[in-house]
């Protein structure tokens, strides 16, 4: 299988090898050492303040989104949420579920945020800003510097869901005044799904300490307390955390965050250049590096997705809803190479000869 979806993604041989081993016992110094390393490397990779902390939740990215909403926000907040697709809507749903007052910046599918849009919300006493910085459903990568500037000028607490953009696009918690970063194991970290990660800056840690939220599994205070000894409150996804450790050290040894971003950017640009001669279009002008939304001119996107899967053993992301028959998505994260891009392009060309791509 050649996997161009945006998660789960292709894993390196060293990460896969760990997945094939027996899961070890974890309530010991050896596992605590791994978790201390994981926390320090995560903080390093998002350029967090020295006093920041990272917690690892056994659960999908939505688990980290909900834990963040529950533990750093409350009914006294007035939250502004960027909602330009399925994952922005998820933040809206979570805030509504936990009775957090919120307003939405409603964007059309594929629309980027602008200064003019943000200006409408200036000086409105918002206390927190929530954004899925790469809205994976539409492939839009929102302007993080613009959002950061807006939040700083309005003294707004900034929460960034970077699940699809961590390690694919630059992010600096200190320089961009980000209070919380959320990511997951199955995207550019290129490990199996099952662990989500929250990096909490000093302001976020203070909010967690003062939180009156009631939850056993999603209690960040409990997670932070256990993290002081390199442990988790409950049994974690031990093997995945070991794989994350391997992957973080792998990235560091290969040049760090900058090198990984450059690698993914190279893959993305290479793919986008090579499809220009095919009956396919890239309409979005605000793409990040992790994924490309591709529009069909006269063919059916679902037919292309299925033909690649069944005839070539190549996986790409379909889209749901009304856009599903016109657009598919191609990911550039995970253990992919330029040669893999060539294989996908050759498959597209073969589909064109067969009349499926037209």
């Amino acid at each position: 299988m050649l996997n161009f979806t945006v998660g789960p993604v292709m894993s390196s041989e060293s990460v896969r090898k760990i997945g094939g081993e027996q899961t070890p016992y974890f309530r010991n110094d050896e596992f605590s050492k791994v978790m201390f390393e994981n926390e320090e490397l995560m903080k390093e990779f998002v350029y967090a303040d020295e006093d920041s902390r990272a917690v690892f939740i056994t659960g999908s990215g939505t688990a980290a989104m909900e834990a963040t909403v529950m533990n750093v926000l409350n009914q006294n907040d007035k939250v502004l949420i960027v909602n330009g697709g399925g994952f922005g809507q998820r933040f809206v749903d979570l805030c509504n579920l936990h009775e957090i007052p919120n307003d939405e910046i409603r964007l059309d599918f594929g629309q980027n945020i602008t200064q003019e849009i943000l200006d409408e919300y200036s000086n409105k006493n918002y206390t927190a800003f929530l954004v899925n910085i790469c809205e994976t459903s539409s492939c839009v990568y929102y302007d993080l510097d613009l959002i950061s500037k807006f939040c700083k000028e309005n003294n707004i607490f900034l929460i960034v869901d970077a699940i699809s953009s961590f390690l694919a696009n630059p992010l600096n918690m200190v320089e961009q005044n980000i209070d919380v970063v959320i990511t997951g194991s199955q995207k550019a970290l290129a490990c199996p799904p099952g662990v989500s990660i929250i990096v909490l800056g000093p302001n976020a840690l203070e909010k967690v300490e003062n939180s009156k939220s009631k939850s056993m599994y999603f209690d960040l205070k409990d997670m932070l307390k256990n993290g002081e000894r390199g442990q988790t409150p409950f049994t974690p996804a031990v093997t995945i955390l070991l794989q994350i450790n391997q992957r973080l050290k792998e990235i560091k040894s290969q040049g760090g965050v900058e090198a990984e971003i450059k690698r993914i950017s190279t893959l993305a640009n290479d793919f986008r250049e090579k499809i220009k001669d095919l009956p396919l279009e890239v309409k979005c002008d605000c793409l990040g590096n992790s994924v490309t939304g591709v529009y069909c001119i006269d063919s059916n996107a679902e037919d292309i997705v299925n033909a690649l899967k069944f005839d070539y053993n190549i996986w790409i992301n379909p889209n749901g809803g009304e856009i599903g028959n016109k657009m598919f998505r191609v990911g550039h994260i995970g253990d992919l190479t330029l040669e893999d891009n060539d294989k996908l392009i050759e498959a597209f060309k073969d589909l064109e000869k067969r009349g499926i791509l037209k």
Side-chain angles (χ1 to χ4, degrees), residues 2 38 50 55 79 119 130 149 156 210-211 217 235-236 353:
L2 187 53
N38 286 350
E50 185 178 340
V55 296
V79 178
D119 285 344
L130 275 65
K149 180 173 176 286
I156 298 175
N210 295 325
S211 173
Y217 196 75
T235 302
K353 291 177 184 177

Side-chain angles (χ1 to χ4, degrees), residues 248-269:
L248 290 171
K249 291 191 290 188
E250 187 175 87
I251 292 167
K252 189 173 178 67
S253 70
Q254 293 172 356
V257 174
E258 292 84 359
E260 183 66 7
I261 291 173
K262 182 179 180 181
R263 186 186 72 83
I264 293 172
S265 174
T266 299
L267 286 170
N269 291 332

